[in-house]
Amino acid sequence: MSHFKKLRQQMIDEQLKARGLHDQTVLNALGKVPREAFTPADLIGSAYRDSPLPIEENQTISQPYIVALMTAALELKPDHRVLEVGTGSGYAAAVLGEICENVYTIERHKTLADTARARLKETGYTNVQVKHGDGTLGWVEQAPFDAIIVAAGGPEVPQTLKEQLAIGGRMVIPVGQSLNLQKLVRVRRISKDEYKTEDLGDVRFVPLVGAAGWQEEGNERS
Ligand code: SAH
């Protein structure tokens, strides 16, 4: 077994299963995506560490367990259309791309969007489309989505994203009035006008910056 494959198996056992994550679809997906291909070159040795890692633009590649937890909460099936807000390294998008045929992901930093697009192409995730822009506005042309995953924390659940959920669709998003501590919530669209919100626990994400997020520089909206 190759070095990275071994580390990946250890990650599955010690970081995911050991914490009670047993969703086989999600375990399979994280067992396939080469996380080292989405990690900055100088941190490749830490690719499978049980923590987030710094990437360009002062952002992070999320901890494997958080990616697994959020992905499991989306209740994905292969034919679901998925939107991710906050492409970052492209790692979570690749995990989603292992499970679903159609994945759309938006990143506000052009350098990150370009790098992630190139990495997803190199690793063969041709079913993932990357767009540079403000993800709090969603992706109108591709809506509605069966699942939306937001990888950055905002002050509230963006109304536009709620409207781009299909009936029965799920959105997983960190929300909270603090810039460095949020609650992970799952919003389920029950009917055209009804949504059900569940609390999935405390998390710490980089800020969601955009029209329905925080203002640039991380200040509160005025
Ligand atoms: N899913 C990523 C995690 C990246 S961290 C991974 O697996 O690596 C969150 C990302 O969200 C950052 O890259 C940040 O630039 C981006 N982001 C923050 N606000 C955004 C917005 N309004 N639209 C799109 N991307 C945003």
Side-chain angles (χ1 to χ4, degrees):
M1 203 188 276
S2 76
H3 173 62
F4 285 123
K5 207 169 165 198
K6 212 168 179 172
L7 291 177
R8 194 146 66 235
Q9 191 52 51
Q10 262 175 22
M11 169 188 86
I12 300 286
D13 294 337
E14 295 167 15
Q15 301 176 31
L16 310 184
K17 287 186 182 167
R19 289 197 177 99
L21 203 136
H22 296 294
D23 182 316
Q24 204 50 53
T25 306
V26 173
L27 293 176
N28 284 347
L30 272 98
K32 282 191 190 150
V33 178
R35 189 167 160 93
E36 68 277 11
F38 296 90
T39 306
D42 56 329
L43 289 175
I44 279 214
S46 306
Y48 291 91
R49 227 170 68 186
D50 191 10
S51 71
L53 296 171
I55 56 173
E56 287 169 302
E57 304 287 358
N58 219 4
Q59 304 301 320
T60 54
I61 165 170
S62 304
Q63 180 188 13
Y65 175 67
I66 290 293
V67 174
L69 181 79
M70 291 175 84
T71 306
L74 292 174
E75 301 171 357
L76 300 175
K77 296 272 183 296
D79 63 341
H80 285 163
R81 298 169 64 78
V82 188
L83 174 70
E84 180 191 36
V85 174
T87 316
S89 67
Y91 174 70
V95 170
L96 299 169
E98 275 292 343
I99 303 173
C100 297
E101 280 143 35
N102 295 294
V103 178
Y104 302 88
T105 180
I106 309 175
E107 169 57 52
R108 66 181 284 267
H109 286 292
K110 187 165 189 308
T111 48
L112 294 178
D114 290 345
T115 307
R117 192 181 293 114
R119 285 175 172 156
L120 288 160
K121 194 175 166 202
E122 273 164 31
T123 44
Y125 294 99
T126 51
N127 57 331
V128 180
Q129 286 193 47
V130 182
K131 175 164 124 171
H132 168 228
D134 178 2
T136 67
L137 303 174
W139 194 324
V140 184
E141 298 82 0
Q142 302 296 348
F145 299 98
D146 302 290
I148 300 178
I149 176 170
V150 183
E156 65 209 1
V157 182
Q159 184 61 32
T160 315
L161 294 183
K162 286 169 78 172
E163 285 164 9
Q164 289 184 23
L165 267 185
I167 309 289
R170 290 83 44 211
M171 170 168 23
V172 176
I173 175 172
V175 279
Q177 289 302 316
S178 151
L179 278 180
N180 46 29
L181 183 68
Q182 303 92 18
K183 278 201 183 313
L184 189 64
V185 299
R186 171 166 54 195
V187 178
R188 199 183 291 270
R189 188 170 194 178
I190 306 293
S191 67
K192 188 173 179 303
D193 301 312
E194 270 176 295
Y195 296 86
K196 191 180 121 199
T197 303
E198 292 161 82
D199 187 344
L200 305 179
D202 288 347
V203 283
R204 193 176 292 266
F205 274 84
V206 296
L208 179 69
V209 178
W214 302 103
Q215 277 187 356
E216 198 106 21
E217 303 305 329
N219 294 321
E220 281 190 42
R221 288 194 298 168
S222 50

